[in-house]
Amino acid sequence: MIPIRLIFLCGALLSTSIFGASDSLVWDEFKPRLAVDMGHLVSGRYYNNDLNMQPLNRNTVILEQHAIYGENWEFNLGFKGIMWWPFSINGNEPYQRSFRIDPRVSEAKARVNFSAQTQRAYLEFGYFPYKYNPDAQNLGEYLYRSGTYPGIVQSTDGFRLMDAAVFDAYGMHARFSHFAGIVSHDFTLFTEPSSIPIGDITPGYELSVSFPWIQLGAGAAYNRLISFDASRVRPDVDENGYFQVDSIFNVNATTKDTAAIFKGPYGNASALVKQKITAGGDSVYSVHALHHYTQRGIKLMIRGAVDMGFLLPENLRSPGDLRVFAEAALLGWENQPYFYEKRSQRMPVMAGLNLPTFRLLDRLSFQVEYYDNPFLNGKQFVETAYPIWSDAAADGEYHRDDWKWSLYARKTLNRILTIHLQAADDYLRLPLFNYNPSDMALTQNPKNWYYLMRLECRL
């Protein structure tokens, strides 16, 4: 706690020099937490390796401090330490199965409130977890947790495996609401945190309408609109191109015609055609670069929820019981040849229901997702940022992972202890022994799934 307050003190001194010494820093809530996760990847697959009963153990300690400065400023700072075990293909090597300890910042945020009712109008900036869909327990939150080209969907960062449907935002978020909070406008400006090129800026906007029994929302984000190196967003290299290669031949002494021997992405060409593309053609073959793929694109999102808990007796319902919700997104409005020709194949759709348990549990939530994505999340994008799928089947189809599901339960045992349970076939990615995340989801077909149990202590 002392290091956290020392950092706050430095910020307070700086703020005093800017805003004057009449304001004072008030230490508010200090929240220490301890979480122990235990479970297994019951069945999974990584390239040609089957993963059975792979341990998913995690121990996490989180220390968070909240402070208030003057009448309008709030600060949040948190640190966490994660003790984790890597998943390993070769479990016989000791260095691939020993645990790791990873220190991290969980939050570092400043917020200024423009209204006495703090949720009505404010601006926050820094590093903080951002969540626009309160019903998304595991699947969903597509607007910022997903890419455009390719539309890789995330459900975990590999370290937090449960109750983590948030985006680790680095940037700014402003909210303005009116009509007594019924209508809210959210404006975001976030930087790309993990995929190459890191640091590109994505602006976004969300509109929310909230009534007692129904909530609606819509949003848009322009992925990588502001790029510090545009050539890396649309790499002008052969591997990122879509080409047509023609064979030139004489029909008669005075007329020439052409016949296409190849049309498609560079990765699908034969070795001979690749040589011709690299050489730029010759006297027999002509090469035409028709397109280079780009990561930049517009994402759209809609969501809604209907709360039917009023149908249950008040003494037998928990908050959120019998709530039906859904979210859908379009990960890239513009079509691109071969890989991104149909918008319907860039539209993940999630639906869920909070099942009533008559107060046996605090929450029992089931989610299902359909994503008609014709390709498998590929290694080439992770390593080079070429906005293409690199692991395509011969006919360009890969639909075994179209359906995903997740079941989550939570029970508060007392003021300190809470138990969480989760079973899912989602987009589980885990870090390897060298800290690199798996470049594709480990759950690739309906038979792959995992379970987790978390015991959480909040003081």
Side-chain angles (χ1 to χ4, degrees):
M1 179 171 66
I2 294 177
I4 296 178
R5 290 196 170 182
L6 284 176
I7 295 174
F8 269 116
L9 181 59
C10 293
L13 292 175
L14 178 62
S15 300
T16 299
S17 65
I18 297 175
F19 300 107
S22 58
D23 294 331
S24 59
L25 182 69
V26 178
W27 301 111
D28 194 10
E29 189 176 11
F30 175 68
K31 298 185 292 185
R33 286 182 286 157
L34 169 65
V36 178
D37 292 357
M38 296 172 289
H40 289 90
L41 174 59
V42 178
S43 173
R45 190 166 179 81
Y46 189 60
Y47 291 102
N48 295 322
N49 302 280
D50 291 324
L51 304 174
N52 297 311
M53 299 307 293
Q54 188 78 216
L56 300 179
N57 296 344
R58 300 284 189 273
N59 291 350
T60 307
V61 176
I62 301 177
L63 304 175
E64 294 178 330
Q65 175 71 62
H66 179 255
I68 300 173
Y69 187 77
E71 296 181 356
N72 299 320
W73 285 89
E74 298 182 46
F75 299 90
N76 286 81
L77 185 61
F79 295 96
K80 65 181 177 182
I82 305 175
M83 185 170 69
W84 57 280
W85 283 259
F87 94 91
S88 59
I89 299 172
N90 183 7
N92 295 325
E93 297 291 343
Y95 70 93
Q96 291 194 18
R97 63 175 185 264
S98 59
F99 71 85
R100 311 297 199 263
I101 297 178
D102 196 25
R104 292 186 169 196
V105 173
S106 61
E107 187 172 8
K109 179 181 71 174
R111 171 168 154 171
V112 56
N113 297 304
F114 302 112
S115 170
Q117 295 176 300
T118 58
Q119 298 300 319
R120 293 291 178 85
Y122 61 83
L123 170 68
E124 57 185 358
F125 54 91
Y127 176 75
F128 52 94
Y130 182 74
K131 186 177 181 67
Y132 63 81
N133 187 348
D135 298 300
Q137 203 68 55
N138 184 10
L139 305 172
E141 289 280 339
Y142 301 118
L143 195 58
Y144 302 106
R145 291 204 302 172
S146 306
T148 45
Y149 311 103
I152 294 179
V153 175
Q154 305 280 353
S155 61
T156 173
D157 62 358
F159 294 92
R160 297 172 303 172
L161 305 180
M162 182 191 300
D163 196 19
V166 298
F167 175 68
D168 290 326
Y170 185 83
M172 297 184 293
H173 165 231
R175 166 167 288 191
F176 171 73
S177 62
H178 49 96
F179 300 122
I182 294 176
V183 179
S184 296
H185 307 270
D186 291 274
F187 302 88
T188 60
L189 202 63
F190 295 150
T191 63
E192 173 55 43
S194 58
S195 65
I196 303 172
I198 293 173
D200 288 352
I201 298 176
T202 297
Y205 166 74
E206 302 147 39
L207 172 66
S208 303
V209 180
S210 180
F211 297 104
W213 294 340
I214 186 171
Q215 292 80 44
L216 302 172
Y222 203 135
N223 191 40
R224 301 180 184 272
L225 174 63
I226 303 173
S227 178
F228 298 100
D229 187 355
S231 64
R232 301 192 72 185
V233 178
R234 186 192 289 266
D236 187 9
V237 296
D238 291 344
E239 290 80 4
N240 188 50
Y242 182 84
F243 297 90
Q244 179 173 322
V245 179
D246 297 330
S247 174
I248 303 173
F249 60 94
N250 290 326
V251 176
N252 54 48
T254 60
T255 306
K256 286 186 176 182
D257 202 352
T258 62
I261 64 169
F262 174 78
K263 187 176 183 180
Y266 178 86
N268 287 12
S270 66
L272 174 63
V273 172
K274 287 181 179 178
Q275 290 177 3
K276 302 305 178 184
I277 292 174
T278 301
D282 53 29
S283 59
V284 179
Y285 298 96
S286 62
V287 175
H288 308 277
L290 303 180
H291 182 76
H292 283 91
Y293 295 93
T294 178
Q295 293 186 48
R296 184 175 291 162
I298 296 174
K299 294 185 285 187
L300 303 174
M301 177 275 301
I302 57 172
R303 63 181 179 89
V306 178
D307 193 343
M308 297 185 293
F310 63 89
L311 298 176
L312 301 173
E314 185 174 355
N315 63 333
L316 293 178
R317 72 170 182 256
S318 299
D321 275 1
L322 213 56
R323 183 175 173 87
V324 182
F325 51 90
E327 179 181 348
L330 173 58
L331 304 180
W333 174 261
E334 180 186 2
N335 290 330
Q336 298 189 65
Y338 188 77
F339 295 109
Y340 313 109
E341 293 183 339
K342 297 180 181 179
R343 293 190 179 95
S344 61
Q345 294 180 338
R346 302 194 298 276
M347 295 179 60
V349 179
M350 179 272 292
L353 169 66
N354 293 342
L355 299 166
T357 63
F358 306 102
R359 292 197 171 179
L360 294 177
L361 300 173
D362 302 337
R363 175 67 51 84
L364 179 61
S365 180
F366 179 73
Q367 292 181 261
V368 64
E369 175 192 284
Y370 180 72
Y371 186 19
D372 184 26
N373 179 9
F375 298 101
L376 179 68
N377 288 346
K379 180 179 181 180
Q380 191 166 2
F381 173 73
V382 175
E383 293 186 346
T384 66
Y386 297 155
I388 59 178
W389 299 104
S390 61
D391 192 7
D395 59 351
E397 297 295 323
Y398 195 96
H399 288 286
R400 289 184 297 167
D401 62 345
D402 285 355
W403 288 95
K404 298 293 183 181
W405 59 270
S406 176
L407 181 65
Y408 171 82
R410 182 180 69 243
K411 174 64 176 178
T412 301
L413 301 179
N414 52 45
R415 187 182 64 85
I416 296 176
L417 294 177
T418 303
I419 189 169
H420 307 251
L421 298 171
Q422 181 169 294
D425 169 13
D426 54 15
Y427 300 95
L428 179 68
R429 290 177 174 83
L430 296 174
L432 293 154
F433 67 93
N434 57 5
Y435 286 80
N436 290 328
S438 57
D439 46 49
M440 63 178 64
L442 304 181
T443 47
Q444 299 178 16
N445 61 64
K447 295 181 180 180
N448 297 153
W449 68 286
Y450 68 90
Y451 73 88
L452 274 174
M453 179 182 70
R454 168 181 292 176
L455 186 63
E456 186 174 30
C457 176
R458 293 173 178 261
L459 300 179

